[in-house]
Amino acid sequence: MIAVDVGGTFTDVVGWRDGKILTTKVSTEYTDVAAPVLRGAERLGVDGSTVFNHASTHGLNAVITRKLPKIGFLTTEGHRDILDMGRVWRPSDAMLDPGWRRSFGDAAKPLIDRYLRRGIAERMLAGGDVLFKLDEAQARAEIETLARCGVEGVAICLINAYVNPAHELRLRELVREIVGDVPVSISSEVSPLAKEYARASTTVIDTLMKIIYSDYTDRLSAGLTGLGFTGALNFADCAATLVPAEHAMAKPFRIVFSGPAAGTVACAHFGKLTGQIDLLCADVGGTSCDISVVTGGEPFVNTSFELEHDLVVNALANDISSIGAGGGSIVRIGAAGEIQVGPDSARAEPGPACFDRGGTTPTTTDTCLMIGILDPDGFAGGEVAIDRSLSQRAFESLETPFTLQQRVRYAYEMAVHNMAEGVFNVAIKNGVDPRDYSLMAFGAAGPMLLPAVLDAVQCKEVIVPPSPGLFSALGLLSADQVFTVNRSAYLMLDAANAERVDVLFAEMEDELRAQVGDGDVELQRSMDAHLVGQSWETPFIPVPDGTLDADALAAMVAAFHDTYESRSDNRFEAMPVEGVTFRVRAVLKTDKIEYPKLPARGDEPLLPVGTRTLRYLGDLSDGGDGDQTATVWDRESLRAGDEIAGPAIVHEGLSTTHVGANQSATVGEYGEIVIRRNH
């Protein structure tokens, strides 16, 4: 089995063959994203592999940087500005800022410029009846305008089309007749759910992803075939569940956030293996720190997520918070003369100053190289040469009265503080006490930086899993194949609507069986519902199997009240319940990676491979360098049960673990390094 995670800085490729984990890391290329994927696949060898599982931030980065194709948007006349208005929500830190603008709005960087958003004369009522018929002559004129503007695709979202898609279906025919064979997404197929803006933004993202990923997928598939791959190509969705590539390309909005989600699944799988089912997960790469929560061995899943503030996508997604804190985070001097780190990043190009690729500003990677945590001779498995003198030159170029020792020390402390704050905020947001949770540190920079947050976050311990630099990619070898169908229908959950609800679930299950065929399939039913009069739903209410009669709907109402109480600590049984979104998931169990157990130490002694001086971490008050002497260990030589006292450096091919001066580490039976505070 092979899996790949395309990140903003590196492309991680992992394999599972003959009971061994194979890994390699390749620099991501923005001009040809498929090329490093194929290079990594060639290194590991794909001949004979049964699956090639793929996750990527390629589409996400295109949205964030606004390097997007030109597309058009058709909507009901009078609603062309729905994409600009969003939900009219402000982030909490912008409540009193008169200059704040929505990132995707016309005043900033719109996904679709206003002249490419056209209103269509038609109107469908909420019950599905036609109020105004589609004016085909007017529609043709608007579509011809888009054709003259040279759009590469068209997104269509009409009011109440999720109830009756007739007008959207006809508009798609007209677009293909007038504009030609371009990608067209209609909201009634992409996201047949209530709430117009979220449905519109999801449809726009789907159209963009069709253009961005279609050629990429073709080149990837052809390249893998050329390397001898004959297995199944799967793409991970935003919940890091797998779907065949052809299904993913039918609705590619579901894969836009797949990269970060894979890490959460990897944590859940490995945590169950080691008995750690309550986890704070932190994936620190070159650009960001992606933080999530696993409780009881299961990730927290949302029914939608935001690519940017208020830019909503209707897709099941692992709940992940990202902050601009990674190995490539840029160190600079703020307006008040303070040291700042991030959120902007040097990325893969030009990269940190020590990469010698044109970068002249220091980054967190330069900070760790200056301290001595990183080994200039073995960085990224020897794939990337780094030069400490370039890092020093970058720090010396900062305009500040701080000494060099202070610049490096404060940059390190700020990087650690940013991550500690991010982890703590996610814990509070999810209502968990970090003292009851272990922190899983992965990503190439996670083991290097996250052990230092132990005191600030007060979590139980930091766990560094095997192959932490490619752990997200390993999550793709821990995931099931899942197909999902959902429908919105505002229905009171009472005996009068039992037959309608039963028919709705039967239709969705028939659709899923047509997609997945025969086999060992587990169908999971759920719904999103609310108390009558509420604006927002309580998601993932369990729905019983079999025929849904009056008794079954009564059980659904009881399940709603139980779930509502568990989330809000309130119960309103006297109020009627209304179903909004009904959902069925088909889960196909897949072969998963099996982490090999590490043998216990025999007669050979536990010995470090050397020592290293860590600068700037000790006392700087005497004007010295604050040196600490750290033992250096080779992770491949460690055995289950080994104990290491800090300060220490554990070196492996694609990552470095730093055990602090007041910490100690123990090696677990699957090779995990568990770091705890000394009491």
Side-chain angles (χ1 to χ4, degrees):
M1 299 189 294
I2 304 289
V4 60
D5 177 22
V6 182
T9 305
F10 288 104
T11 294
D12 301 335
V13 187
V14 300
W16 170 251
R17 184 180 297 131
D18 299 328
K20 296 181 179 179
I21 298 174
L22 311 174
T23 64
T24 189
K25 187 181 284 279
V26 187
S27 292
T28 298
E29 296 179 16
Y30 289 95
T31 55
D32 186 0
V33 182
V37 176
L38 294 173
R39 279 201 299 273
E42 185 176 18
R43 289 180 188 176
L44 297 190
V46 295
D47 187 18
S49 295
T50 56
V51 294
F52 190 96
N53 298 335
H54 178 282
S56 175
T57 57
H58 178 41
L60 174 64
N61 291 336
V63 173
I64 292 173
T65 60
R66 293 299 188 270
K67 295 179 179 178
L68 297 170
K70 179 192 286 188
I71 68 170
F73 177 67
L74 300 178
T75 189
T76 303
E77 198 168 47
H79 293 266
R80 67 188 295 198
D81 291 320
I82 187 172
L83 294 178
D84 188 38
M85 294 185 293
R87 294 175 296 183
V88 203
W89 290 5
R90 282 174 173 253
S92 57
D93 58 353
M95 288 297 182
L96 302 178
D97 181 4
W100 180 83
R101 294 292 182 270
R102 194 165 280 98
S103 60
F104 54 84
D106 288 338
K109 297 178 180 178
L111 300 180
I112 304 177
D113 289 317
R114 194 172 192 269
Y115 77 96
L116 296 173
R117 306 196 302 258
R118 317 300 296 186
I120 302 298
E122 68 84 42
R123 186 58 191 258
M124 199 76 66
L125 294 176
D129 297 327
V130 176
L131 179 63
F132 299 120
K133 291 184 178 180
L134 176 67
D135 186 337
E136 290 205 10
Q138 186 262 355
R140 284 180 178 274
E142 297 294 349
I143 296 170
E144 287 168 356
T145 299
L146 295 181
R148 289 194 299 272
C149 292
V151 296
E152 301 175 56
V154 178
I156 302 172
C157 180
L158 304 178
I159 299 300
N160 294 321
Y162 70 95
V163 182
N164 184 345
H167 291 172
E168 286 194 346
L169 292 169
R170 179 55 183 155
L171 279 178
R172 179 166 62 184
E173 293 174 353
L174 293 176
V175 168
R176 288 177 172 163
E177 174 188 329
I178 297 168
V179 181
D181 187 19
V182 298
V184 182
S185 297
I186 62 175
S187 71
S188 52
E189 290 181 354
V190 169
S191 181
L193 305 175
K195 297 186 172 61
E196 309 301 336
Y197 165 65
R199 185 158 51 87
S201 61
T202 302
T203 306
V204 167
I205 294 298
D206 188 71
T207 307
L208 293 169
M209 294 304 110
K210 281 180 178 176
I211 299 170
I212 290 170
Y213 275 109
S214 59
D215 179 61
Y216 168 80
T217 304
D218 291 341
R219 286 186 290 114
L220 177 61
S221 181
L224 290 173
T225 301
L227 294 174
F229 178 68
T230 57
L233 174 61
N234 298 315
F235 278 63
D237 63 15
C238 299
T241 54
L242 303 171
V243 291
E246 60 272 19
H247 287 271
M249 289 304 102
K251 295 180 179 179
F253 74 92
R254 297 176 298 183
I255 68 173
V256 67
F257 201 60
S258 58
T264 308
V265 171
C267 290
H269 178 67
F270 189 77
K272 289 178 182 177
L273 195 66
T274 59
Q276 299 291 343
I277 59 174
D278 294 326
L279 298 166
L280 292 165
C281 314
D283 178 2
V284 186
T287 305
S288 65
C289 176
D290 301 319
I291 308 164
S292 56
V293 176
V294 171
T295 299
E298 298 297 331
F300 186 81
V301 179
N302 279 326
T303 57
S304 64
F305 65 96
E306 294 180 332
L307 291 178
E308 299 172 3
H309 173 74
D310 216 18
L311 179 52
V312 182
V313 177
N314 278 337
L316 298 182
N318 291 340
D319 187 21
I320 298 172
S321 298
S322 295
I323 60 173
S329 295
I330 292 174
V331 180
R332 60 165 46 88
I333 305 301
E338 78 280 14
I339 296 282
Q340 296 180 345
V341 181
D344 47 343
S345 170
R347 307 179 70 88
E349 296 293 340
C354 60
F355 281 16
D356 197 17
R357 296 176 181 170
T360 57
T361 54
T363 66
T364 299
T365 296
D366 294 296
T367 303
C368 291
L369 181 59
M370 289 291 292
I371 291 171
I373 296 172
L374 290 176
D375 178 8
D377 297 325
F379 183 75
E383 290 289 328
V384 180
I386 55 177
D387 187 340
R388 186 178 185 276
S389 66
L390 297 177
S391 299
Q392 181 168 335
R393 185 185 307 167
F395 271 102
E396 289 173 341
S397 70
L398 296 176
E399 295 185 8
T400 174
F402 291 134
T403 65
L404 177 63
Q405 293 89 335
Q406 290 172 324
R407 299 176 195 199
V408 177
R409 170 70 167 269
Y410 298 160
Y412 176 77
E413 290 180 344
M414 284 306 304
V416 170
H417 168 80
N418 292 342
M419 293 177 190
E421 184 177 46
V423 171
F424 190 78
N425 287 343
V426 168
I428 298 303
K429 168 191 167 186
N430 286 274
V432 304
D433 188 336
R435 293 173 296 183
D436 298 330
Y437 281 64
S438 299
L439 176 61
M440 190 77 79
F442 59 104
M448 176 175 70
L449 296 164
L450 288 171
V453 311
L454 264 175
D455 288 331
V457 177
Q458 293 292 306
C459 50
K460 291 196 302 184
E461 59 204 5
V462 171
I463 301 173
V464 180
S467 303
L470 302 104
F471 196 59
S472 288
L474 288 172
L476 300 176
L477 300 180
S478 311
D480 289 318
Q481 196 172 86
V482 179
F483 298 78
T484 303
V485 175
N486 47 34
R487 297 282 185 273
S488 273
Y490 285 86
L491 296 173
M492 297 295 297
L493 298 181
D494 53 28
N497 283 322
E499 183 177 355
R500 291 184 63 186
V501 175
D502 184 61
V503 169
L504 191 62
F505 274 102
E507 290 175 349
M508 289 191 291
E509 290 178 357
D510 288 343
E511 181 179 340
L512 279 175
R513 288 192 179 95
Q515 291 184 42
V516 303
D518 297 328
D520 184 14
V521 180
E522 177 188 352
L523 295 181
Q524 300 174 348
R525 295 175 171 183
S526 66
M527 68 171 181
D528 305 341
H530 59 203
L531 300 169
V532 170
Q534 285 185 319
S535 297
W536 303 104
E537 295 76 52
T538 299
F540 301 115
I541 310 299
V543 175
D545 296 327
T547 301
L548 297 176
D549 53 17
D551 290 339
L553 259 68
M556 291 164 61
V557 171
F560 169 84
H561 289 303
D562 290 342
T563 306
Y564 190 92
E565 184 177 21
S566 69
R567 287 173 174 257
S568 67
D569 203 28
N570 285 301
R571 194 178 184 95
F572 302 98
E573 289 187 334
M575 297 189 66
V577 178
E578 185 175 40
V580 177
T581 299
F582 302 89
R583 180 182 304 105
V584 181
R585 304 175 79 214
V587 180
L588 286 74
K589 299 296 182 181
T590 61
D591 293 334
K592 296 178 176 62
I593 186 172
E594 297 178 10
Y595 291 90
K597 286 190 175 183
L598 201 64
R601 181 163 298 282
D603 295 332
E604 72 279 14
L606 173 62
L607 297 173
V609 296
T611 59
R612 187 182 305 168
T613 299
L614 302 183
R615 306 173 185 86
Y616 319 130
L617 295 182
D619 185 10
L620 299 180
S621 61
D622 61 358
D625 286 345
D627 290 350
Q628 295 178 351
T629 300
T631 52
V632 180
W633 306 83
D634 181 2
R635 188 166 188 179
E636 290 187 1
S637 68
L638 297 179
R639 297 292 179 263
D642 284 348
E643 296 184 358
I644 298 171
I649 300 294
V650 181
H651 180 70
E652 58 187 296
L654 299 176
S655 187
T656 298
T657 300
H658 175 213
V659 183
N662 297 312
Q663 298 172 345
S664 58
T666 303
V667 181
E669 64 175 338
Y670 291 96
E672 71 274 18
I673 300 174
V674 182
I675 302 171
R676 299 184 177 93
R677 294 179 295 274
N678 294 331
H679 296 291

